[in-house]
Amino acid sequence: MHDNRFAVVARAGDRIEDLSTPRPIIDEDRLAANISRVQSYMDAHGLNFRPHIKTHKIPALAAAQVAAGAKGINCQKVTEAEVFAEAGFEDILITFNIIGAPKLERLAALNDRISGLKVVADSAVTVDGLSSHFSGRKPLAVLVECDTGGARCGVQTPEQAASLGKRIAAADGLTFAGILTYPKPQSAEAVEAFIRATLKQLSVAGLACPIVSNGGTPSLFQAHLVKSATEHRAGTYIYNDRQMIRMGHCTQDDCAMHVLATVVSRPNADRAVIDAGSKALTSDLQGFADFGLVVGYPEAKITSLSEEHGVIDLSACTGQRPEIGEKLFIIPNHTCVVSNLFDTMVFHRNGIVTRVEDVAARGLVW
């Protein structure tokens, strides 16, 4: 997929401090602890867990999540799902309205290949498009996506959810598989109320609802409060990031991903420039005023990014300040975007590289 002839290679046994930058690095022990912690929580509350692979896009990490007890995986696009089907995954949920003949043709081919493919729909247009393409073929499982307050996709009322569920159940080539939501954070009570009302409407319509899928790392440790859910989906938890620290889900010591960057300039006492710009750290602020947390320099602020440069304001630093040539560990605001910026991900333990994994589904947003 990518021409790696000019890539700067890292190998097992290399020291992190010797790596060329910028590049994201993953702490193996923190990674394993994050997987274990969340799976243990889901197991304790009797919830199926379906990790979202858009955070890492790496089959080996999805395999570790499933080995820990996860039930299948969550993808966002057909092309992502194709990569993971090729890697041997069967139980795949695609949480995106799939529109248009080219995508539907690839979706049908994928459905023929694996046993547990599921998709979502939130409109008659989407359902009818799926049905017209799957009529006479292996049936496709479809969940109704519900907007329980997240204000993204989803039907707006339980009545609409039941009506669309009936349309799916009656459609040629489709089977009704349940309901799904991606709610706003910390809204378990409202989510549960919507789901209960929807289940009542579905029951009146004579429809069983095998899957009730709730989601989101921001709502991760409130998952048990949504009693009617059968499964929870989350992605960011595997690496964690600055937004997860702010939400109280983790500490800096739980963040498995850092972007390693080098100070390349100190134009004056209050300014440092690093070799990580928007192509390495992402310009996704996630509600912050700056572009990442510089470990060891809590007062330093990454105030601006161009493509290849990051500018750090050091004016509030009361102690030592980073010098030219120094490597910095930066916790990104949003890890998922960083994964899609690099062809490979470097893993390490105690500062020594353990492995390098291809980001197999990088760029597959179609």
Side-chain angles (χ1 to χ4, degrees), residues 119-279:
V119 302
V120 300
D122 71 351
S123 72
V125 173
T126 303
V127 170
D128 292 351
L130 291 168
S131 179
S132 67
H133 210 83
F134 280 81
S135 180
R137 307 178 77 151
K138 176 185 172 184
L140 177 69
V142 184
L143 288 77
V144 173
E145 183 167 4
C146 304
D147 179 6
T148 58
R152 199 161 66 182
C153 297
V155 297
Q156 298 298 293
T157 68
E159 291 77 16
Q160 290 174 347
S163 176
L164 197 61
K166 287 192 291 184
R167 194 181 191 99
I168 293 166
D172 289 339
L174 307 182
T175 59
F176 175 67
I179 60 175
L180 171 145
T181 186
Y182 184 82
K184 67 180 180 181
Q186 287 75 55
S187 61
E189 185 175 349
V191 174
E192 175 65 12
F194 190 106
I195 290 173
R196 281 185 178 274
T198 301
L199 292 175
K200 183 177 180 179
Q201 292 286 331
L202 290 169
S203 178
V204 169
L207 290 179
C209 188
I211 300 171
V212 179
S213 185
N214 189 25
T217 299
S219 303
L220 186 57
F221 294 108
Q222 285 195 339
H224 67 286
L225 300 178
V226 183
K227 303 292 186 183
S228 298
T230 62
E231 73 172 27
H232 194 88
R233 312 175 320 278
T236 309
Y237 82 95
I238 191 171
Y239 289 156
N240 285 316
D241 56 20
R242 196 180 180 197
Q243 63 172 327
M244 293 300 109
I245 296 172
R246 180 181 57 196
M247 290 180 175
H249 288 317
C250 68
T251 68
Q252 286 192 41
D253 291 339
D254 300 309
C255 290
M257 175 188 277
H258 296 90
V259 174
L260 191 65
T262 302
V263 178
V264 295
S265 178
R266 283 290 311 277
N268 60 43
D270 290 338
R271 185 164 80 247
V273 181
I274 54 175
D275 58 358
S278 62
K279 291 179 178 177

Side-chain angles (χ1 to χ4, degrees), residues 49-127:
F49 183 47
R50 184 181 296 277
H52 206 319
I53 59 78
K54 71 179 176 67
T55 297
H56 55 74
K57 292 176 172 277
I58 298 173
L61 298 196
Q65 291 170 308
V66 170
K71 177 181 171 55
I73 60 172
N74 181 187
C75 295
Q76 197 75 340
K77 298 294 180 69
V78 176
T79 47
E80 278 186 339
E82 288 172 335
V83 168
F84 283 80
E86 183 71 20
F89 293 87
E90 293 280 339
D91 188 345
I92 300 176
L93 169 64
I94 303 175
T95 47
F96 209 89
N97 285 304
I98 299 170
I99 306 291
K103 291 184 176 67
L104 290 170
E105 187 57 40
R106 290 178 73 152
L107 183 68
L110 182 62
N111 194 45
D112 288 338
R113 286 178 59 191
I114 64 175
S115 60
L117 183 63
K118 292 168 280 290
V119 302
V120 300
D122 71 351
S123 72
V125 173
T126 303
V127 170

Side-chain angles (χ1 to χ4, degrees), residues 337-351:
V337 184
V338 174
S339 292
N340 201 50
L341 296 174
F342 290 87
D343 290 340
T344 59
M345 200 65 60
V346 174
F347 295 76
H348 70 99
R349 178 174 286 112
N350 298 322

